[in-house]
Amino acid sequence: VLAKKFGAAVVSLEHRYYGKSSPFKSHTTENLKYLSSKQALFDLAVFRQWYQESLNLKRNKTGAENSWFVFGISYSGALSAWFRLKFPHLTCGSLASSGVVLAVYNYTDFDKQVGESAGPECKAVLQEITELVDRSLESNRKELKKQFGAAELEIDGDFLYFLADAAVIAFQYGNPDALCTPLVEAKKAGEDLVAVYAKYVKDFYVGTFGVSVETYNQNHLKNTAVNEGSSDRLWWFQVCTEVAYFQVAPSNDSVRSSKINTKYHLDLCKNVFGEGIYPEVDMTNIYYGGTKIAGSKIVFTNGSQDPWRHASKQTSSPDLPSYIITCHNCGHGTDMRGCPQSPLSIEGNAEKCSAPDAVNKVRQKMIEHIDLWLSECKGT
């Protein structure tokens, strides 16, 4: 939509190491040393120069400069903001949709936001389920894991993380009703809450949403083969070295199990990658500035129910406008995709948001900023 409006070409890059972009034949920890946001930004800068020169060659021009605008959602949203910060001469501006620019060691706000997005009734049921699961783990561990189709998750922390993420996804991706409606109804009817949650996890999270249980299995994360399942290991490497975002249980009123703590995450990093792997969160924030990012011409957008928004820049300033889209199902990247509300459409549709006007207003603002910044850019 934006490309048509501005007569632009859309160029999409694969991040180094992911997909087919692996520089090595195996993903041993030693071989992952060039996997970082810093390297990804340099790749983008070098590619942008090469692409511009290719265009100029095609058109028989020398030294011509097209106007470039960088955008992304989530981690790539952070990259888009960081690219504008570090290479302002190579882009006219950036859009950081749900751009997670703040590396966070213990990210307790993540779980707090899940509770807020769920609302008091649904949150209470989720907390009750967490308690029941914690208790059941002690008495019939194997049966419980089987019930959730997750028998392969031998480490209890992996299993509990899988269950926590299954709830998160409903709020993160604008689909709270798929989770809360059946749970609240089951509570009122006095049904077996763990069984109802297990059904949601298997039908919606694994079934409709398509998440694989092995993503949570540390034995799978240890696999150094280069294949389609590699991205799980690769993302954890970035988590364990650069950004952390450890989604730990807050000390009170937590939705997730208190067993998902800092130790669980640090143990995972050590188990999967070996000794000496530790998230240098302070270094990341010193290098990029965290939410005090000192760039210019970057639009930040976030969905009101998205637990990731606390790692984004949420306060607006003239050169760094920030917008929060408020609605019952406004999650991650809502400005780019709309809402995927049930029946689930992963691509999303702005009409399905409980407040499509809220989405459209922010889209309008984005267009105004892009328009202005492109006009101020010295494209020749």
Side-chain angles (χ1 to χ4, degrees):
V1 171
L2 290 172
K4 274 184 185 157
K5 180 165 181 54
F6 291 105
V10 178
V11 186
S12 181
L13 254 73
E14 189 167 82
H15 191 297
R16 56 160 60 215
Y17 280 88
Y18 292 89
K20 295 195 167 77
S21 303
S22 183
F24 296 102
K25 300 260 187 306
S26 90
H27 285 151
T28 59
T29 302
E30 167 64 16
N31 283 350
L32 297 181
K33 60 185 171 194
Y34 305 114
L35 170 56
S36 70
S37 56
K38 242 182 235 186
Q39 294 282 11
L41 293 173
F42 275 108
D43 290 341
L44 190 53
V46 171
F47 171 83
R48 182 237 182 267
Q49 294 303 77
W50 171 84
Y51 194 84
Q52 184 66 62
E53 282 161 20
S54 314
L55 279 180
N56 292 351
L57 270 175
K58 239 186 220 166
R59 298 173 179 160
N60 256 339
K61 287 180 173 175
T62 45
E65 279 293 319
N66 285 61
S67 299
W68 287 70
F69 199 90
V70 193
F71 64 94
I73 299 177
S74 197
Y75 166 59
S76 62
L79 286 177
S80 120
W82 294 337
F83 188 77
R84 171 72 195 156
L85 171 75
K86 296 295 180 185
F87 299 97
H89 57 295
L90 296 182
T91 166
C92 301
S94 285
L95 168 66
S97 171
S98 303
V100 284
V101 290
L102 180 69
V104 190
Y105 185 63
N106 279 330
Y107 192 5
T108 48
D109 279 345
F110 191 90
D111 191 79
K112 280 184 195 154
Q113 183 62 54
V114 169
E116 279 171 38
S117 300
E121 216 178 355
C122 183
K123 177 185 176 182
V125 183
L126 285 168
Q127 287 176 322
E128 191 176 334
I129 291 167
T130 299
E131 223 170 288
L132 292 166
V133 165
D134 274 350
R135 243 181 291 159
S136 186
L137 257 184
E138 284 163 29
S139 52
N140 66 346
R141 174 178 274 107
K142 275 195 169 151
E143 281 312 304
L144 178 70
K145 290 179 181 179
K146 250 190 217 149
Q147 192 179 359
F148 282 90
E152 67 176 83
L153 302 179
E154 288 160 21
I155 299 171
D156 291 351
D158 294 352
F159 174 65
L160 294 168
Y161 200 88
F162 164 62
L163 295 199
D165 256 7
V168 166
I169 221 75
F171 309 106
Q172 181 171 320
Y173 287 113
N175 221 308
D177 302 336
L179 171 70
C180 288
T181 308
L183 287 190
V184 172
E185 281 172 7
K187 174 70 181 164
K188 284 177 184 159
E191 290 171 38
D192 176 345
L193 294 178
V194 174
V196 175
Y197 190 56
K199 183 177 172 5
Y200 158 81
V201 171
K202 288 189 290 194
D203 293 356
F204 185 81
Y205 191 45
V206 176
T208 311
F209 209 80
V211 167
S212 163
V213 177
E214 76 168 5
T215 301
Y216 295 88
N217 189 337
Q218 289 184 39
N219 290 328
H220 159 69
L221 297 177
K222 281 175 159 177
N223 186 353
T224 58
V226 177
N227 56 33
E228 283 187 6
S230 297
S231 59
D232 298 330
R233 175 174 170 82
L234 299 172
W235 176 244
W236 268 110
F237 182 77
Q238 291 197 260
V239 164
C240 291
T241 53
E242 282 193 282
V243 288
Y245 305 133
F246 290 166
Q247 289 149 39
V248 298
S251 53
N252 57 6
D253 205 24
S254 173
V255 176
R256 64 187 54 216
S257 168
S258 60
K259 292 189 178 82
I260 306 174
N261 52 19
T262 314
K263 185 181 183 311
Y264 164 73
H265 288 87
L266 292 176
D267 286 349
L268 181 148
C269 294
K270 187 174 161 182
N271 181 28
V272 172
F273 301 108
E275 291 287 348
I277 294 293
Y278 182 81
E280 303 285 0
V281 169
D282 293 346
M283 269 167 60
T284 303
N285 289 330
I286 281 172
Y287 187 70
Y288 295 121
T291 50
K292 295 193 177 84
I293 183 169
S296 66
K297 299 185 175 173
I298 306 166
V299 185
F300 289 90
T301 57
N302 287 285
S304 57
Q305 289 190 327
D306 182 11
W308 285 105
R309 74 182 170 96
H310 304 281
S312 180
K313 184 173 161 46
Q314 296 179 90
T315 48
S316 209
S317 58
D319 245 2
L320 299 167
S322 175
Y323 303 101
I324 291 179
I325 310 169
T326 306
C327 80
H328 168 58
N329 43 23
C330 284
H332 215 50
T334 294
D335 52 314
M336 299 295 269
R337 321 193 326 254
C339 292
Q341 257 300 327
S342 48
L344 182 78
S345 133
I346 302 276
E347 284 79 26
N349 172 356
E351 309 292 297
K352 290 188 178 178
C353 297
S354 66
D357 283 357
V359 181
N360 292 329
K361 265 187 193 147
V362 168
R363 285 179 169 171
Q364 204 37 56
K365 289 281 180 203
M366 280 156 46
I367 288 170
E368 284 166 22
H369 290 297
I370 296 171
D371 210 10
L372 174 66
W373 296 340
L374 287 175
S375 72
E376 290 174 348
C377 215
K378 301 281 182 281
T380 50

